């Protein structure tokens, strides 16, 4: 073994490395990460108080995984699928469990970790070349192909729902940012949810039953439009629900307006599923219902962490080739946020209108403001709410009110 300095622009980080043979060649691998020398000196230069108390560390995710293995007898399932030939002394289910737990070892004393797991975990890590949790996905991908992954997922779903089937299923997609650099299958460059451009993104689709149990999950290249993803993912969800023993006619699938586009509603209509879906407000038939209803016509339905929810039965409207029942809803907290935003926009619009009226009264060089020039400026300020505001350019009857 050797003490190795990893020099970077941010400083020098020390590691312990060891040599090993592979295919007749001598290679190096990291055994222990130490960190910066200053941090090490700082830590050991401070005396430990006599009344020091040890802090407890939460191993929640690892404990939940262990519970799942024991309660659902997943040790048998994973050992049969991943290590059927018993090629390793350490069973496959423990490998996965400990790899996930590995990320929490930074809060566990090294002495305790080595005493408890040194003979089992560490040899496995070095033998398989798995030294970080990020390597988990690559390791699993090397161990078995997509067909075996699909087989595992179907069995897990059947075990999780315990033969009861699925009655409700919520489906959505998202992009998450990763720092993995060498995955060309899923990584795509795009804008993260924090608005940072140039991030490495991976897409994830997930469907949960009404108990929050995942029944479908699929990774895909990030930075893709939900509308384009929907057809393939929708078929995958249907297949997984049937594999879980559910009758599609008795299942309600719920998804948001991100999937509203192209022929997606037509596909949903043709399926035997019961569909509850959000729709974009700019659809003409839906907009007509929105414009025709008064706020007083909404009725309180239920209360959530976002506040009280109010709904309005809008009857049936045409969406695509078919007639769908439309229910309008809003939360009172959302209404207050919208009202605050509208007040801000109205104040800014008043400043714009006052400026133009002053220019009309003063006269002077340059072209005088016209109704069209004022309208263009107000449209930039108000955006989609421009048509909700009445205004006048008559200096004697200045008017700026919400309809």
């Amino acid at each position: 073994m050797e003490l190795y300095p990893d020099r970077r622009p941010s400083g020098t980080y020390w590691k312990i490395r060891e040599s090993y043979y592979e295919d007749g060649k001598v290679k190096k691998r990291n055994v222990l990460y130490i960190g910066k020398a200053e941090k090490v000196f700082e830590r050991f230069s401070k005396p430990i108080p006599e009344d020091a108390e040890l802090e407890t560390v939460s191993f929640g995710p690892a404990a939940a995984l262990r519970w799942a293995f024991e309660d659902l007898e997943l040790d048998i399932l994973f050992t049969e699928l991943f290590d059927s030939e018993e090629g390793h002394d350490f069973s496959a289910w423990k490998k996965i469990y400990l790899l996930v737990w590995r990320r929490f070892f930074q809060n566990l004393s090294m002495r305790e970790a080595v005493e408890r797991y040194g003979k089992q975990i560490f040899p496995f890590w070095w033998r398989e070349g798995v030294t970080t949790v990020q390597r988990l996905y690559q390791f699993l991908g090397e161990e078995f192909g997509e067909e075996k992954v699909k087989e595992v997922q179907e069995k897990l779903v059947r075990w999780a729902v315990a033969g009861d089937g699925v009655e409700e299923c919520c489906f959505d997609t998202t992009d998450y940012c990763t720092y993995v650099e060498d995955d060309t299958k899923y990584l795509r460059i795009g804008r993260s949810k924090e608005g940072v451009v140039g991030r490495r993104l991976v897409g994830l689709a997930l469907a949960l039953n009404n108990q929050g149990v995942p029944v479908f999950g699929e990774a895909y290249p990030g930075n893709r439009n939900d509308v384009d993803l929907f057809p393939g993912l929708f078929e995958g969800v249907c297949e997984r629900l049937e594999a879980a023993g559910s009758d599609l006619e008795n299942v309600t699938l719920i998804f948001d307006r991100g999937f509203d586009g192209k022929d997606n509603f037509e596909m949903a209509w043709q399926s035997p599923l019961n569909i509850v879906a959000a729709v974009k407000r700019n659809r003409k038939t839906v907009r007509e219902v929105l414009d025709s209803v008064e706020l007083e016509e909404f009725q309180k339905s239920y209360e959530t962490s976002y506040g009280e929810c109010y709904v309005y039965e809008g009857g049936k409207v045409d969406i695509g080739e078919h007639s769908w029942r439309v229910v309008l809803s809003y939360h009172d907290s959302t209404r207050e946020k919208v009202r605050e935003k509208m007040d801000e926009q109205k104040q800014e619009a008043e400043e714009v209108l006052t400026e133009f009226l002053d220019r009309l009264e003063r006269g002077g060089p340059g072209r005088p403001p016209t109704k069209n020039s004022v309208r263009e400026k107000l449209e930039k300020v108000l955006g989609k709410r421009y048509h909700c505001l009445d205004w006048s350019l008559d200096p004697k009857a200045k008017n700026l009110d919400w309809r």
Side-chain angles (χ1 to χ4, degrees):
M1 291 190 180
E2 63 177 343
L3 190 61
Y4 171 75
D6 184 2
R7 294 183 174 86
R8 305 178 187 178
S10 57
T12 301
Y13 300 83
W14 293 89
K15 304 175 182 178
I16 295 179
R17 302 173 68 183
E18 70 175 4
S19 304
Y20 68 100
Y21 280 98
E22 183 176 312
D23 298 329
K25 298 181 180 179
V26 178
K27 297 185 177 181
K28 302 282 188 179
R29 59 189 169 200
N30 296 328
V31 177
L32 180 64
Y33 173 80
I34 299 177
K36 288 186 175 182
E38 305 87 70
K39 293 292 183 181
V40 177
F41 294 146
E42 180 183 353
R43 171 66 182 85
F44 287 97
S45 63
K46 297 179 179 179
I48 301 177
E50 295 182 359
D51 58 346
E53 295 183 2
L54 297 178
E55 294 184 356
T56 59
V57 179
S58 173
F59 293 91
L65 187 62
R66 180 176 180 179
W67 174 85
F69 271 112
E70 294 178 350
D71 188 68
L72 299 176
E73 298 181 352
L74 298 185
D75 52 342
I76 301 174
L77 171 66
F78 278 80
T79 300
E80 290 177 352
L81 291 171
F82 300 159
D83 203 12
S84 58
E85 299 179 359
E86 299 182 356
H88 302 287
D89 296 333
F90 207 43
S91 59
W93 73 271
K94 289 185 179 180
K95 295 177 185 178
I96 298 172
Y97 164 58
L98 290 171
L99 280 169
V100 175
W101 201 356
R102 165 67 172 81
R103 68 185 302 174
F104 302 99
F105 280 177
Q106 60 185 344
N107 295 321
L108 186 67
S109 71
M110 186 55 64
R111 177 182 175 183
E112 188 173 4
V114 172
E115 287 180 350
R116 290 187 183 182
Y117 311 106
K119 295 181 180 180
Q120 297 174 320
I121 301 177
F122 296 110
F124 163 71
W125 285 344
W126 312 143
R127 185 171 64 249
E128 302 294 347
V130 180
T131 55
T132 64
V133 175
Q134 275 192 344
R135 275 280 294 144
L136 172 64
Y137 300 102
Q138 296 172 353
F139 167 73
L140 294 180
E142 294 164 3
E143 288 289 302
F144 52 91
E146 294 183 1
E147 288 300 320
K148 183 160 285 191
V149 172
K150 182 178 180 181
E151 179 185 352
V152 173
Q153 291 177 339
E154 291 178 353
K155 286 188 176 182
L156 286 175
V157 171
R158 285 197 294 270
W159 286 23
V161 300
D164 296 332
V166 179
E167 296 180 356
E168 294 181 4
C169 186
C170 298
F171 174 58
D172 201 2
T173 61
T174 189
D175 281 338
Y176 65 90
C177 179
T178 177
Y179 293 97
V180 176
E181 298 181 358
D182 56 354
D183 188 342
T184 58
K185 182 177 180 180
Y186 296 112
L187 290 183
R188 295 295 184 272
I189 303 300
R191 182 190 298 270
S192 68
K193 291 187 177 296
E194 292 76 21
V196 181
V197 179
R199 293 297 193 192
R200 301 182 185 92
L201 304 178
V202 177
L204 178 65
L206 190 63
L208 308 176
N209 71 356
N210 50 322
Q211 278 82 40
V213 176
V215 297
F216 175 83
E218 182 172 321
Y220 55 86
N223 199 26
R224 295 184 60 187
N225 192 300
D226 288 350
V227 173
D228 298 327
L229 290 167
F230 183 82
L233 295 176
F234 184 77
E235 292 179 0
V237 172
C238 293
E239 292 176 1
R240 181 60 51 78
L241 290 171
E242 289 182 315
S246 300
D247 184 352
L248 296 186
E249 293 184 352
N250 298 326
V251 178
T252 300
L253 182 65
I254 305 165
F255 55 86
D256 65 15
R257 64 174 179 265
F259 298 111
D260 181 7
K262 296 186 177 180
D263 299 324
N264 292 342
F265 269 93
E266 177 67 21
M267 173 180 287
W269 180 275
Q270 296 296 338
S271 74
L273 291 166
N274 302 297
I275 301 295
V276 175
V279 64
K280 293 179 180 177
R281 294 187 295 269
N282 58 3
R283 280 189 176 271
K284 182 179 179 181
T285 53
V286 176
R287 172 56 61 183
E288 290 174 353
V289 178
L290 283 171
D291 293 341
S292 64
V293 64
E294 298 293 338
L295 199 61
E296 292 75 16
E297 297 182 64
F298 283 79
Q299 296 181 349
K300 181 180 177 180
S301 176
Y302 58 92
E303 189 170 350
T304 69
S305 58
Y306 296 100
E308 296 177 343
C309 181
Y310 297 83
V311 299
Y312 171 78
E313 171 62 63
K316 289 192 173 184
V317 301
D318 291 335
I319 299 177
E321 301 295 328
H322 303 281
S323 181
W324 294 74
R325 178 187 175 191
V326 172
V327 177
L328 307 181
S329 68
Y330 74 89
H331 289 94
D332 53 359
S333 60
T334 304
R335 179 185 62 180
E336 293 303 320
K337 292 179 181 179
V338 172
R339 176 60 65 182
E340 291 176 3
K341 181 64 176 178
M342 291 175 65
D343 290 340
E344 292 177 4
Q345 290 178 317
K346 180 180 177 181
Q347 182 177 356
E348 191 173 351
E350 286 179 340
E351 294 174 358
V352 170
L353 197 58
T354 300
E355 178 186 351
F356 279 108
L357 289 174
D358 291 344
R359 288 176 56 187
L360 280 175
E361 293 177 357
R362 291 196 309 266
R367 296 179 58 183
T370 63
K371 190 172 183 178
N372 286 337
S373 63
V374 177
R375 175 180 55 79
E376 292 177 0
K377 185 68 174 179
L378 289 176
E379 284 181 342
K380 291 182 180 180
V381 172
L382 300 173
K384 61 184 180 182
R385 296 192 178 95
Y386 168 77
H387 297 287
C388 300
L389 198 69
D390 288 324
W391 62 277
S392 172
L393 201 57
D394 184 356
K396 296 182 180 179
K398 179 182 175 182
N399 182 36
L400 188 66
D401 292 309
W402 295 112
R403 294 175 185 172

